[in-house]
């Protein structure tokens, strides 16, 4: 009955022209999910849960929009008219509570509680296990926190998935869902930061009562506990970070652009070298995947361009030499200046000519960073630098310039400073590959990142391009699979609930397209999910044997084809090699 009421509420909203496209799609998903529904079928319950989560997000987005439009105006007008402050505060809230969307939010929240109870799922989602002690600190975003003398357990309102975790943060409780394998999740595992999310807003609000107190956050695959720390004197303090070494590189390139088959880590970085190794592995008879060819702008080409302009080179070197000594505001401004300087560098004409010869003028490209400070066993560097997706051959020089300049994104520079990596030791190569337009994109960890069970690989998938998954800028959850590498058995952990997929238009623009999961085979066909999961389990074992350590893999699915675009050492897992 509650599901029927929810569907009727959505139909009413659509008729009222309130998010009509989204409301209609969610209503269609609810109706499709009712066909043959059994409360004893776990997959069907998980599918319904994803749709209800989408409903609650619609209500939340509408409420946020009302607050943005009304709250500030009500504040200004109320003060001018002498209205009591408490009356001003409840004006916008009253507008929401009197609206049908408030009933949608209540229905969705009630249904989610029932579904979690039926699925025996806690409201917590554990991304990184362990325990952390620190002062409980509510924050809107990680960027507002400053490194201090004491460890922090942070209640975080918002995360986009690409942030750097400030030194001193021992634990994070995030007040919304986040893909486990997003860049932020990878960084937390790398740094050993305990990380959980909570989808129950009433619970996260209740946690605020701990603000300013010392707490112990304990997270296991089975659940989460938060309570007063028994002894703040023994709490771990932030430790000084030892200087982290990164590989030396060759800065005398053979040419301005090389085929990926000729690349080594010292000439093109670990990401480009990983692409080379995937291409070699894909040629083996026992490989159940393909990999794209590629070109690489090797280390040293950017430096040659810098040396070609002595005045620009001198300005660049002076900024690099002093940037770490600058206060936060000036540090950020200096990184902007450095990016602007790099963006002025000439990109050799032979790069475009080689791209046209290799891929043609019509093919869209992915132009990616391959720095010597990323994709390392001890340092992932996930999301620190830029990738440019959907690039035309005519625009490849501009894309290469953008990737070079991303050596100086504020988050990349801050990450090097935090890890005590000398800026002058960091160099940027560029990997250029044909863009694969997928049905599904996925990130796979060959060892379960939560339980560390080596027999299980963990996969998150989204419809369309994988940027939705890696950056986690969009709200929602991906498909989640747990695959047994010995038996091939696949356990579905969650259905996708993102409202949009990302796709590339013929002109290269990235656009959002609304997803109706009731029409998408991976949602509706359990046999298809089981078949793909079994293939990914075999592939995970294959890659672990080939690379010698657990892997963090990015790839896409197109029809029956699995295409791998990246493989690097998995973070947060002890490596044997």
């Amino acid at each position: 009955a509650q599901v029927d009421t929810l569907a009727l509420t959505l139909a009413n909203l659509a008729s009222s022209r309130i998010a009509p496209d989204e409301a209609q799609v969610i209503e269609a998903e609810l109706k499709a999910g009712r066909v043959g529904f059994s409360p004893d079928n776990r997959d069907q319950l998980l599918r319904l849960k994803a749709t209800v989560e989408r409903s609650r997000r619609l209500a939340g987005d509408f409420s946020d929009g009302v607050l943005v439009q009304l709250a500030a105006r009500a504040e200004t007008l109320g003060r001018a008219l002498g209205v009591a402050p408490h009356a001003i505060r409840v004006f916008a809230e009253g507008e929401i509570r009197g609206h049908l969307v408030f009933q949608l939010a209540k229905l969705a929240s009630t249904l989610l509680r029932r579904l979690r109870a039926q699925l025996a799922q806690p409201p917590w989602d554990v991304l990184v296990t362990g325990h952390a002690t620190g002062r409980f600190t509510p924050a809107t975003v990680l960027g507002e926190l400053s490194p201090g003398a004491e460890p922090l357990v942070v209640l975080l309102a918002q995360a986009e998935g690409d942030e750097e975790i400030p030194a001193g943060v021992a634990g994070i409780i995030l007040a919304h869902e986040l893909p486990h394998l997003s860049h932020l999740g990878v960084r937390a595992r790398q740094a050993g930061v305990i990380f959980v999310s909570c989808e129950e807003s009433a619970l996260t609000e209740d946690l605020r009562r701990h603000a300013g107190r010392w707490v112990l956050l304990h997270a296991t695959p089975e659940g989460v506990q938060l309570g007063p720390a028994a002894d703040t004197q023994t709490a771990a303090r932030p430790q000084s970070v030892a200087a982290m070494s990164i590989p030396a590189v060759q800065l005398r390139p053979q040419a301005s652009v090389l085929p990926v088959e000729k690349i080594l880590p010292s000439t093109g970085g670990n990401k480009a070298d990983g692409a080379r190794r995937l291409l070699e592995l894909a040629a083996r008879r026992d490989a159940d995947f393909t990999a794209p060819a590629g070109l690489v702008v090797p280390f040293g080409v950017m430096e040659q361009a810098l040396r070609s302009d002595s005045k620009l080179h001198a300005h660049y070197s002076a900024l690099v030499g002093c940037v770490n000594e600058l206060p936060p505001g000036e540090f950020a401004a200096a990184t902007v200046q450095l990016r602007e300087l790099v963006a002025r560098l000439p990109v050799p004409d032979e790069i475009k000519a080689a791209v046209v010869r290799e891929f043609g003028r019509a093919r869209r490209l992915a132009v990616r960073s391959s720095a010597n400070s990323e994709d390392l066993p001890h340092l992932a560097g996930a999301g620190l630098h830029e990738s440019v997706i959907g690039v035309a051959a005519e625009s490849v020089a501009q894309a290469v310039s953008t990737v070079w300049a991303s050596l100086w994104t504020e988050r990349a520079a801050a990450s090097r400073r935090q890890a005590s990596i000398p800026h002058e030791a960091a160099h940027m190569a560029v990997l250029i590959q044909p863009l694969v337009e997928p049905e599904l994109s996925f990130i796979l960890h060959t060892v379960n990142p939560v339980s560390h069970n080596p027999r299980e690989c963990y996969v998150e998938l989204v419809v369309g391009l994988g940027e939705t998954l890696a950056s986690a800028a969009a709200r929602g959850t991906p498909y989640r699979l747990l695959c047994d590498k010995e038996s091939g058995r696949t356990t579905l952990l969650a259905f996708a609930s993102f409202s949009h997929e990302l796709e590339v238009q013929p002109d290269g623009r990235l656009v959002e397209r609304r997803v109706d999961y009731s029409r998408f085979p991976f949602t509706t066909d359990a046999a298809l999910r089981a078949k793909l999961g079994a293939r990914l389990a075999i592939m995970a074992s294959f890659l672990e044997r080939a690379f010698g350590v657990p892997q963090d893999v990015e790839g896409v699915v197109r029809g029956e084809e699995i295409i791998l675009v990246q493989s690097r050492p998995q973070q947060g897992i002890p490596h044997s090699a």
Side-chain angles (χ1 to χ4, degrees), residues 472-490:
R475 292 289 179 262
T477 54
Y479 296 102
R480 290 178 173 142
L481 304 179
L482 199 60
C483 309
D484 188 298
K485 288 185 285 189
E486 295 183 17
S487 68
R489 182 176 178 273
T490 296

Side-chain angles (χ1 to χ4, degrees), residues 149 189 201 213 221 268 287 360 378 479 486 549:
R189 288 185 195 94
S201 58
R213 301 174 183 171
H378 56 284
Y479 296 102
E486 295 183 17
V549 295

Side-chain angles (χ1 to χ4, degrees), residues 205-230:
E205 280 302 310
D206 181 62
L207 294 179
R208 290 182 177 274
R209 60 190 168 85
H210 295 289
R213 301 174 183 171
W214 283 81
V215 297
L216 171 65
L217 173 64
H218 186 66
T220 69
E222 291 72 38
V224 174
Q225 293 179 325
L226 181 78

Side-chain angles (χ1 to χ4, degrees), residues 154-438:
V154 180
L155 175 60
L156 190 64
Q158 299 172 15
E160 293 186 354
D162 270 338
E163 303 91 329
E164 191 66 19
I165 300 174
V169 172
I172 297 173
I173 301 171
L174 180 62
H176 61 75
E177 67 279 353
L178 185 82
H180 288 201
L181 308 186
S182 65
H183 293 151
L184 185 58
V186 169
R187 289 176 196 164
R189 288 185 195 94
Q190 177 181 299
V193 174
I194 310 310
F195 197 175
V196 302
S197 66
C198 182
E199 59 185 47
E200 185 58 64
S201 58
L203 182 54
T204 54
E205 280 302 310
D206 181 62
L207 294 179
R208 290 182 177 274
R209 60 190 168 85
H210 295 289
R213 301 174 183 171
W214 283 81
V215 297
L216 171 65
L217 173 64
H218 186 66
T220 69
E222 291 72 38
V224 174
Q225 293 179 325
L226 181 78
D231 183 3
T232 62
Q233 299 302 314
T234 61
R237 296 297 193 266
Q239 299 179 354
S240 58
V241 179
M244 187 176 290
S245 63
I246 57 175
V249 301
Q250 299 178 31
L251 294 178
R252 296 182 179 274
Q254 302 171 15
S256 295
V257 62
L258 296 169
V260 74
E261 294 91 333
K262 294 186 177 182
I263 287 298
L264 298 171
S266 60
T267 59
N270 275 35
K271 185 179 292 181
D273 183 62
R276 174 189 64 80
R277 295 190 66 186
L278 285 176
L279 197 60
E280 292 174 352
L281 291 170
R284 286 174 40 172
R285 294 180 62 181
D286 55 343
D288 186 22
F289 62 86
T290 62
L295 297 173
V296 178
V297 181
F299 295 127
V301 178
M302 174 181 154
E303 287 74 13
Q304 286 178 345
L306 264 172
R307 290 193 295 269
S308 69
D309 186 328
S310 58
K311 186 178 293 187
L312 188 151
H313 189 201
H315 188 189
Y316 179 89
S317 298
L319 274 175
V320 172
C322 72
V323 65
N324 272 357
E325 310 307 319
L326 299 174
E330 294 179 32
F331 179 86
T335 64
V336 172
Q337 288 184 60
L338 285 161
R339 288 199 303 277
E340 290 173 347
L341 289 175
V342 174
R344 287 161 50 188
L345 298 178
V347 177
D349 292 337
E350 49 264 44
I351 294 175
K352 174 183 170 182
V355 165
V356 171
R357 284 195 304 271
E358 180 73 16
F359 304 119
R361 294 184 181 275
R363 188 73 183 268
R364 291 288 166 177
L365 307 168
V367 181
R368 306 181 188 276
S369 68
S370 186
N372 65 328
S373 55
E374 60 181 330
D375 289 2
L376 303 172
H378 56 284
L379 182 65
L384 295 179
H385 307 112
E386 300 293 336
S387 294
V388 189
I389 305 299
V391 178
E394 296 296 326
S395 304
V396 73
Q398 182 180 345
V400 168
S401 181
T402 298
V403 174
W404 277 351
S406 74
L407 190 66
W408 287 103
T409 63
E410 184 180 354
R411 60 182 179 266
S415 175
R416 290 195 296 271
R417 182 168 67 173
Q418 185 172 318
S420 299
I421 295 172
H423 293 299
E424 59 272 17
H427 299 279
M428 181 65 76
V430 182
L431 173 63
I432 304 169
Q433 296 174 300
L435 181 66
V436 181
E437 297 184 44

